[in-house]
Amino acid sequence: MIEAYRAAWTDLEAHFAGATAAAGLAFLPFGALEQHGPHLPLGTDTATASAVARRLAERLDGVLLPPVHYGDTWNNAGYPGTVGLSPATVTAIAVDLGRALVGSGARGLVIVNGDWGNRLPLASAVRILNDEGVLPAIALDYPGMAEAIELVRESVPAAPGLNHAEEVETSIMLALEPELVRRERFVAEYPEFPSDFGVRPMQLHGFSASGVFGDPATASAEKGQAILGATVEGSLAVLADFIRGL
Amino acid sequence: MIEAYRAAWTDLEAHFAGATAAAGLAFLPFGALEQHGPHLPLGTDTATASAVARRLAERLDGVLLPPVHYGDTWNNAGYPGTVGLSPATVTAIAVDLGRALVGSGARGLVIVNGDWGNRLPLASAVRILNDEGVLPAIALDYPGMAEAIELVRESVPAAPGLNHAEEVETSIMLALEPELVRRERFVAEYPEFPSDFGVRPMQLHGFSASGVFGDPATASAEKGQAILGATVEGSLAVLADFIRGL
Amino acid sequence: MIEAYRAAWTDLEAHFAGATAAAGLAFLPFGALEQHGPHLPLGTDTATASAVARRLAERLDGVLLPPVHYGDTWNNAGYPGTVGLSPATVTAIAVDLGRALVGSGARGLVIVNGDWGNRLPLASAVRILNDEGVLPAIALDYPGMAEAIELVRESVPAAPGLNHAEEVETSIMLALEPELVRRERFVAEYPEFPSDFGVRPMQLHGFSASGVFGDPATASAEKGQAILGATVEGSLAVLADFIRGL
Amino acid sequence: MIEAYRAAWTDLEAHFAGATAAAGLAFLPFGALEQHGPHLPLGTDTATASAVARRLAERLDGVLLPPVHYGDTWNNAGYPGTVGLSPATVTAIAVDLGRALVGSGARGLVIVNGDWGNRLPLASAVRILNDEGVLPAIALDYPGMAEAIELVRESVPAAPGLNHAEEVETSIMLALEPELVRRERFVAEYPEFPSDFGVRPMQLHGFSASGVFGDPATASAEKGQAILGATVEGSLAVLADFIRGL
Amino acid sequence: MIEAYRAAWTDLEAHFAGATAAAGLAFLPFGALEQHGPHLPLGTDTATASAVARRLAERLDGVLLPPVHYGDTWNNAGYPGTVGLSPATVTAIAVDLGRALVGSGARGLVIVNGDWGNRLPLASAVRILNDEGVLPAIALDYPGMAEAIELVRESVPAAPGLNHAEEVETSIMLALEPELVRRERFVAEYPEFPSDFGVRPMQLHGFSASGVFGDPATASAEKGQAILGATVEGSLAVLADFIRGL
Amino acid sequence: MIEAYRAAWTDLEAHFAGATAAAGLAFLPFGALEQHGPHLPLGTDTATASAVARRLAERLDGVLLPPVHYGDTWNNAGYPGTVGLSPATVTAIAVDLGRALVGSGARGLVIVNGDWGNRLPLASAVRILNDEGVLPAIALDYPGMAEAIELVRESVPAAPGLNHAEEVETSIMLALEPELVRRERFVAEYPEFPSDFGVRPMQLHGFSASGVFGDPATASAEKGQAILGATVEGSLAVLADFIRGL
């Protein structure tokens, strides 16, 4: 595994020159600077995506790119400290990086997305990269994570599929950066959502004063590690045929 | 000083709520993943901009944003490992972040630019932010650094104002991240440049096989600290009236 | 219910002038001209979306707009006869129509989407319309349909959530336009999909020679009516709070 | 003639595979949802363009595409019920469909334009399609119609070349969809126009309270058929060398 | 009349400060660098538009802006020496200048267009300027010229409404810049045009080897003066209500 | 030297057909309509760029294009009479003209820029033209002028590198168009600038009531000629290898 931020250009050149398909992959963590309640850091999504991307790069001996620290966080923009990009900019970043990687000899781009709001703009980017023949590319939205959550979660989710600053995300951060988790600030919130929640785009600050959606009380580093491990395995499973086709 | 990546949204809200003009500033390091010869890491520009931004945020008790790790590195794109953005995307990132900071209560945005290629697109962004009344913004291209270099440099520059992977940048990285500097790979290169160099946009890989422009042999951490220190002071001098006018 | 295509402008003006929130809604069927196997017409998605939109307009006494006959059908573009729009154009159409409806006195826009590929670009459009305060807008991707399918389907789906030119869509067209369904051309296809299917954007013509994904043999008009009825009810349920908030 | 909405993709594929140049043409009616006085439906332009396109497709054994129901109707936007697109979107639709038709095997695209406001944006689209070598394309603005009008019109036009919801358009709708013509709502209006009318872009609602420009009283289905027939012949005459050159 | 190129900013400020509606108009000649046969200069369209604009500015005591020397000359791009702009750029120039004039105190913008290809993009620009309330604006395509031509022309036109490097344009240049007209190079050409000429966008170099469309032999300065004079009067007639409405 | 405005297309064709690399260059003066104090005309930048471009075209026997009379003059937009373009439009003009020149047989494009605000957008344009392989292009920002100014200037500059409507520009206009210089309006202004002047984009009207920055009193035609002459020589020196590489 090569960490691009710390390597010299000649290291990258040498790595890609003799690389297998898997080792020719570049892994890009795409995060966000987004509110995660009073007890988790604004960098939670970036930390999570970076950790998953690092483990994938290690497992496949690929190249780990430095993370994109900002994402499309419109639905959390009502909480100060959330500092995001427009969806068009998220798309542009991923497309530009895909184009640039071609010149470095990369065989493919794997985006590890850590932010819900990045899903649409990254899907657009990946389609452009594949459709225009720039570079084989894929964006992973944590495959395998949902199933792993089911196995470990003790608390009730605030809404189906909604894990924001509650047991799940707090567990992940306890596993990754426990010193950034302020246990003394734990609060639980269970908002009431309208009938068009999840269908119509909505900003979240009207629903939760704290920015927590659910309850972090039962979080643990062990659960976090289990969720992260399953996400890495789920990602590797999805990538199997992607790599085969390179 | 608050480091946004590690803080919770409530910390940011509290900080901005009672902030003086200076403390209300957000500092954004804008770097690049760009070749810096065989002996310096691809993250050199990001590391340098992050260090300057951190010191400015400390001195003014402002908010340090996480860095943008990618920039407009077209002129180094011929060296594998350089992975850059188009100028339009660089502009878009800075404009988007400026818009987003308004909602967080920031009083102004100070971009600390670490990459030569970002100068034009960031100048465009800053003009938009100021002209459209989004947020007072300024992009600093290391004011004070050129004068400090004159005081400490022992080697001859490859061209006037060109400091790339030679004594200056190597000194800075020896001061910041010495473990990432590979002394055993030091080489010197002094290309011949055509009459329109510096006027007409040119890619650099035709001029230097190593990516070094000049000679890193005389680099030292002390020189690096002197240059960084002067750059911080030069930046503070430029910012004086900017802050007064907020 | 008013059908805009057939009404005069003075009819629309009168309708909107005295309308309740529900009656002030305009319903836009967003379809596609897309391959649906050898036995279903290219207009299948438009026919389905138009039927659902008509029933919703009837139930709420709203305004039925003429359908958009073209959508983002990139994943079926390898089948001749599929004639589609870029995602940016799909977004632009919906945003433009939203802006234009304001001047007519509409209270809100309900897009009834009939094409999988339109989901992302319509989500973008709806966010713009709501976020910029143009007009309250929502895009419905057949809420309630998946549950109804589970109740009536006898065949095995080709992949989870994939209903294309098989029992489900054929049943719907048997319910809506039976004369356009060619039973004599029924074929079944069950492709093998790679591990990144559903994650990475893919065009479908490599997987099915006929364009059928599954088996239409057990289709019936009754099943189609059941699915359509449940979709209308599911849509009304989602719309309840949307209307309340107008 | 093949009607794409009702045909399967295999029908289109077979048709284009063995087609002559003329039969290889796709005919796209480009309409509008636009006010046409209190007595004509909002869909008047779409109905007219669809009828002309259908007759052309029949005469040349080509492919009839489903209509675009929305156009650039800025000059009638002051009348509620007019729901239009921006000119850029009109252009984008036509360019996208042109690009998409190439993959289906079409030999050329004939746009039958039914809305005055679409003229400029469709001219832009057709130039792009031809200039970039996408597909031979042409936009017809009812060639032959002006001459035919001269032969049958009994009323005085409100301005030279202006036929809006008066004798001409009412005759056409009496020929095509008589049940949508409300005779009891007939009114005549003859506005005074300023010296820069027809030169400077103007919205029309300040000139006519009813949206009628002229007098529909002498309209008849016979006149409508004569006008439509002459438009079809005029269109065929223009298309002669276009087809020869394919 | 004030010629902006030669005046100081304080002259413009003083002029607009006390100006009547007519005197508050800025006149922009929009030309082209386009082939006009072997005997007329590439600047023919700019020269003509500048002359008409100057006379209008004199008659109304307005402000004459310097000309735009480049236009959308796609249909003559096959002749070397034709150097043109894309239609989007033509539109952008006119919109930008309209926006900028507001700050100078202008009451309106009158574009005097000298190039056929500029018609569509300038129509787009003028609609934007008026529709968005930037500044009252109008683009004049030589009103009154066609009628004047009928009165003086002795030669047969190559096609209805087509005056390119023949009797008409040569007469105008004989009136304006006789030293730039090379009589010894006069040639006549009467191409055969296909049935879709004038409907489908076409480049002209396939039709005329010389770039002349018609016959310049009967050109005279007197005819040119008559045509220019009538164009000025026709323009003033169109402008009457435009000025009244300012 | 050929002046494109006055030449016929056949002259251009003949010139480029047999041209050396130097003679195959097209010279484009890019000016501005911008305030230059009460004593200099708004066309000062265009006049200067046109003069330099003409002398270069003469020296190299190239083609002189007509000037672009408008530029990005945002920083002087607060003075009435300044009428400018957005930076995007400046870029678009230069890119379009570069593309168009290819078809005429030009070997390269030399933009002679006369306006400070055009620097960034023209740098963007030139990079596009070179990077996309359209045409070798270069933008000259008066190389050699700064050194020549040092030799002749008697007055103190208002800020380093700032020559606006003072001794330098007044001298140039006395050399080029003395009848447009109003000596009786001479004023001197020496504003105080804030610490971020020259770093942060600023509009200038808050600093100088007259629009003069410095003192024109010591201007002379001789100084102007010296500055222009040195600028032409400086430009030729920069162009030497550009021409060699064509």
Side-chain angles (χ1 to χ4, degrees), chain A residues 34-238:
Chain A
E34 185 181 64
Q35 79 84 8
H36 279 78
H39 67 289
L40 291 180
L42 292 162
T44 292
D45 287 347
T46 307
T48 308
S50 295
V52 172
R54 177 177 291 274
R55 295 181 191 190
L56 291 173
E58 286 168 350
R59 292 283 287 274
L60 296 169
D61 189 26
V63 171
L64 178 64
L65 295 169
V68 178
H69 278 282
Y70 302 93
D72 178 358
T73 51
W74 173 80
N75 58 349
N76 279 296
Y79 299 94
T82 300
V83 179
L85 301 171
S86 69
T89 303
V90 170
T91 300
I93 291 170
V95 170
D96 282 2
L97 296 183
R99 286 196 208 286
L101 283 164
V102 176
S104 290
R107 299 279 290 275
L109 169 63
V110 178
I111 302 173
V112 177
N113 176 29
D115 170 48
W116 189 86
N118 290 342
R119 292 192 173 201
L120 266 60
L122 289 179
S124 297
V126 166
R127 173 162 148 194
I128 290 169
L129 289 170
N130 287 291
D131 191 26
E132 300 187 358
V134 177
L135 185 75
I138 190 168
L140 301 175
D141 296 313
Y142 294 150
M145 185 183 274
E147 296 77 2
I149 289 171
E150 290 309 303
L151 295 179
V152 301
R153 177 157 51 193
E154 295 175 87
S155 62
V156 178
L162 179 60
N163 317 308
H164 198 80
E166 34 61 87
E167 183 185 358
V168 171
E169 289 200 320
T170 306
S171 294
I172 291 171
M173 288 306 281
L174 284 171
L176 294 178
E177 305 212 41
E179 78 286 3
L180 297 182
V181 181
R182 284 88 165 176
R183 277 189 182 277
E184 73 282 8
R185 296 185 181 174
F186 276 13
V187 294
E189 283 210 58
Y190 283 91
E192 283 207 26
F193 294 112
S195 66
D196 49 354
F197 184 78
V199 176
R200 193 177 168 221
M202 289 179 189
Q203 291 191 302
L204 296 173
H205 55 285
F207 297 113
S208 166
S210 65
V212 173
F213 289 78
D215 188 351
T218 50
S220 73
E222 293 68 34
K223 290 176 182 171
Q225 287 296 4
I227 292 167
L228 288 168
T231 305
V232 170
E233 298 307 323
S235 299
L236 290 169
V238 164

Side-chain angles (χ1 to χ4, degrees), chain C residues 4-13 28 33 35-43 46-47 65-70 79-86 89 92-93 96-97 100-101 103-104 177 179-180 182 185 209-211, chain D residues 4-13 28 33 35-43 46-47 65-70 79-86 89 92-93 96-97 100-101 103-104 177 179-180 182 185 209-211:
Chain C
Y5 178 88
R6 302 169 65 91
W9 76 269
T10 47
D11 300 323
L12 263 284
E13 185 185 49
L28 175 68
L33 193 74
Q35 80 84 9
H36 279 80
H39 67 287
L40 291 180
L42 292 163
T46 307
L65 294 170
V68 178
H69 279 282
Y70 302 94
Y79 298 93
T82 300
V83 180
L85 302 172
S86 69
T89 304
I93 291 170
D96 282 2
L97 297 182
L101 282 164
S104 290
E177 304 212 44
E179 78 286 1
L180 297 182
R182 283 86 164 179
R185 296 184 181 175
S210 66
Chain D
Y5 178 88
R6 302 169 65 90
W9 76 270
T10 47
D11 300 323
L12 262 284
E13 185 186 47
L28 175 68
L33 193 73
Q35 81 82 10
H36 279 77
H39 67 288
L40 291 180
L42 291 162
T46 307
L65 295 170
V68 178
H69 278 282
Y70 302 93
Y79 299 94
T82 300
V83 179
L85 302 171
S86 70
T89 303
I93 292 170
D96 282 1
L97 297 182
L101 283 163
S104 290
E177 305 213 41
E179 78 286 3
L180 296 183
R182 284 87 164 177
R185 296 185 182 174
S210 66

Side-chain angles (χ1 to χ4, degrees), chain E residues 116-181:
Chain E
W116 188 85
N118 290 341
R119 293 191 174 202
L120 265 61
L122 289 178
S124 297
V126 167
R127 172 161 148 195
I128 291 168
L129 289 170
N130 287 291
D131 192 26
E132 300 187 0
V134 178
L135 184 77
I138 189 168
L140 301 175
D141 296 313
Y142 295 151
M145 186 183 274
E147 297 77 3
I149 289 171
E150 289 309 303
L151 296 178
V152 301
R153 177 156 51 192
E154 295 175 85
S155 63
V156 178
L162 178 60
N163 316 310
H164 197 80
E166 33 62 87
E167 184 185 357
V168 171
E169 289 201 320
T170 306
S171 295
I172 290 171
M173 287 306 281
L174 284 170
L176 293 178
E177 305 212 40
E179 77 286 1
L180 297 182
V181 181

Side-chain angles (χ1 to χ4, degrees), chain F residues 38 44 59 236:
Chain F
T44 292
R59 290 282 286 275
L236 290 169

